Amino acid sequence: MASRFLPKLRSSRPRGFFREFNYTLFTIATWIPAVIFFNGHVGEVTWINGSSMYPFLNSSYDESLEKDVCWTNKWSPITGLRRGMIVSFRSPSNPETVSIKRIIAVEGDLVFTRAPYPLPTVRIPVNHVWVEGDNKDTNKTLDSNTYGPIPVSLIQGKVTHVLWPWKSFGPIRWQEFRSRARVIKGRPENAPGWD
Amino acid sequence: MTVFQRLSRPFNYLRDKYVGHPFLLVGATLKTLFVSHVFLEYGFTMGACEGASMLPTLEVYGDSVLISKAYRRGRGIKVGDVVQFDSVVEPGSQVIKTVLGLEGDYVLRDSPGTSGQMIQVPRGHCWVVGDNLDFSRDSRMFGPMPMALIKGKVIAKVLPWSERKWLINELKHVQ
């Protein structure tokens, strides 16, 4: 089929190697915007840096330099957020870095906070979530205990699958996550709002 | 060569290339859409805005503004710039407000003349307030806003065309 169209693409003049090469490069380059759209709105392969999600992700961070590779679903990222889901978002304390953390509490919940947070408990406001890293060492994760509840409009995607290492390959079963009894579940209508 | 022939040359080229070649046509259409998406997301975009919160700067209804996305995530934003960002209160909608404080700055927490309490804007955040203090939902309600929410800076008012103007940050350092 393709051979039917290919001769049409090229002019009848003979071309040198470089002209042909440039033509191929240009054809590839015209698809770059499609890749940008796909990575921004459909899904993206993500390399996990650091140990904030240890032991769930980067479980061998202290043994090797290898990073876990995950798949981030970026289609309608702010719908259907549940406790236990792993999400990616631009860090509130540093806009140029992307953070990957677990949702601990959603709007209306009461959270018992950890060390750097100034208050012992906080009720999550409307359209906000409380995110934390899995690491028990609180020095290894920069999360809501430092910057507070984050607005859901910051969230870019949900981390849905582990692609590498091979032994943990597969979908992330976030439903099986049990938080460490520091959240009292509430109702969305009880969340503090601004209206 | 007549003028007509000269003018119709690009159309002849398109006809020769795409008529009878549906796959090429679909590919080219998709690529055009993706290129425009990238331009609107990383270059410039125009949008109509409404609401009373920015009143002397922007009218309640009928204004369209030009937004430069080079300032996304608060890059190069200064105090006094008008920025567009994803709403903290209503996810999915965009808001336009003025930046009144960047990280480390001390700002008035409430409207002038009420409590007088000052707070420091935390790292990576900014303080956004509408120009019309009485009809604006802004940082005075939801607190410091992460700079990562900023999508771009409003650089000009385009429509209505008779009121077109560049929005220039007129704040100056105190001598």
Side-chain angles (χ1 to χ4, degrees):
Chain A
M1 195 79 137
S3 61
R4 216 185 104 204
F5 305 115
L6 273 177
K8 268 279 185 191
L9 277 170
R10 294 163 188 179
S11 69
S12 51
R13 272 175 292 153
R15 290 181 185 193
F17 170 75
F18 283 105
R19 260 196 92 124
E20 197 75 15
F21 188 66
N22 284 345
Y23 181 82
T24 317
L25 272 188
F26 181 77
T27 314
I28 295 171
T30 53
W31 284 102
I32 289 175
V35 176
I36 294 174
F37 175 83
F38 189 87
N39 280 343
H41 297 275
V42 182
E44 192 177 24
V45 177
T46 315
W47 278 260
I48 311 291
N49 288 313
S51 57
S52 78
M53 290 301 281
Y54 177 87
F56 190 78
L57 298 173
N58 273 2
S59 35
S60 61
Y61 84 96
D62 47 357
E63 298 155 18
S64 74
L65 292 172
E66 247 181 45
K67 295 171 181 172
D68 282 17
V69 184
C70 291
W71 178 255
T72 310
N73 178 12
K74 299 209 169 173
W75 195 259
S76 64
I78 61 174
T79 53
L81 295 175
R82 302 272 183 280
R83 296 174 202 94
M85 277 185 175
I86 300 177
V87 291
S88 76
F89 53 92
R90 293 253 165 211
S91 167
S93 58
N94 185 0
E96 297 301 321
T97 59
V98 176
S99 299
I100 288 177
K101 298 277 181 281
R102 199 187 283 276
I103 295 180
I104 299 295
V106 294
E107 55 180 9
D109 293 356
L110 188 74
V111 181
F112 292 84
T113 63
R114 291 201 296 212
Y117 203 73
L119 305 169
T121 61
V122 60
R123 171 96 46 199
I124 310 299
V126 171
N127 290 324
H128 283 62
V129 290
W130 186 269
V131 289
E132 276 182 13
D134 281 2
N135 203 325
K136 287 198 182 91
D137 184 352
T138 50
N139 293 324
K140 292 279 169 61
T141 166
L142 178 71
D143 51 31
S144 279
N145 290 299
T146 305
Y147 44 68
I150 66 162
V152 296
S153 41
L154 264 186
I155 293 174
Q156 294 183 332
K158 299 168 189 138
V159 182
T160 54
H161 294 74
V162 178
L163 307 178
W164 186 262
W166 189 248
K167 63 175 192 289
S168 49
F169 180 87
I172 290 172
R173 292 187 291 274
W174 55 268
Q175 297 91 338
E176 295 171 5
F177 173 77
R178 293 287 168 265
S179 79
R180 281 166 246 138
R182 292 175 35 242
V183 176
I184 296 176
K185 290 175 185 174
R187 291 193 186 138
E189 55 264 31
N190 295 339
W194 291 281
D195 286 311
Chain B
M1 188 185 271
T2 65
V3 176
F4 175 75
Q5 277 173 329
R6 197 176 289 244
L7 286 178
S8 63
R9 216 194 283 163
F11 297 99
N12 292 343
Y13 169 78
L14 289 177
R15 187 195 61 208
D16 291 347
K17 190 165 181 186
Y18 293 116
V19 171
H21 301 288
F23 292 108
L24 281 183
L25 185 64
V26 169
T29 313
L30 282 177
K31 283 194 272 192
T32 314
L33 287 175
F34 289 136
V35 166
S36 22
H37 170 264
V38 167
F39 179 78
L40 294 175
E41 197 158 285
Y42 298 96
F44 297 90
T45 187
M46 238 182 84
C49 47
E50 59 174 77
S53 74
M54 287 296 284
L55 240 182
T57 321
L58 300 169
E59 295 299 322
V60 176
Y61 188 78
D63 278 3
S64 281
V65 289
L66 182 68
I67 294 158
S68 165
K69 297 293 183 83
Y71 297 87
R72 62 185 180 279
R73 307 198 286 274
R75 294 167 164 183
I77 289 289
K78 296 193 181 77
V79 171
D81 286 348
V82 181
V83 294
Q84 182 217 24
F85 56 90
D86 282 346
S87 171
V88 174
V89 182
E90 292 171 52
S93 60
Q94 266 83 40
V95 193
I96 290 175
K97 298 269 185 270
T98 308
V99 175
L100 279 199
L102 296 172
E103 52 179 11
D105 292 352
Y106 287 89
V107 292
L108 205 53
R109 204 194 65 182
D110 303 300
S111 308
T114 46
S115 74
Q117 196 182 350
M118 307 284 284
I119 65 165
Q120 189 178 21
V121 181
R123 220 181 111 206
H125 288 65
C126 61
W127 192 263
V128 287
V129 175
D131 286 355
N132 187 2
L133 289 177
D134 296 333
F135 293 94
S136 175
R137 287 194 299 184
D138 47 40
S139 280
R140 290 171 296 159
M141 301 167 74
F142 52 74
M145 189 198 71
M147 296 253 260
L149 285 180
I150 295 179
K151 291 288 160 268
K153 174 176 147 182
V154 179
I155 54 171
K157 182 161 135 180
V158 182
L159 292 177
W161 186 243
S162 57
E163 296 169 22
R164 65 189 181 275
K165 64 169 183 191
W166 298 104
L167 287 188
I168 293 161
N169 185 350
E170 283 159 357
L171 289 189
K172 292 189 183 72
H173 280 286
V174 182
Q175 294 301 315

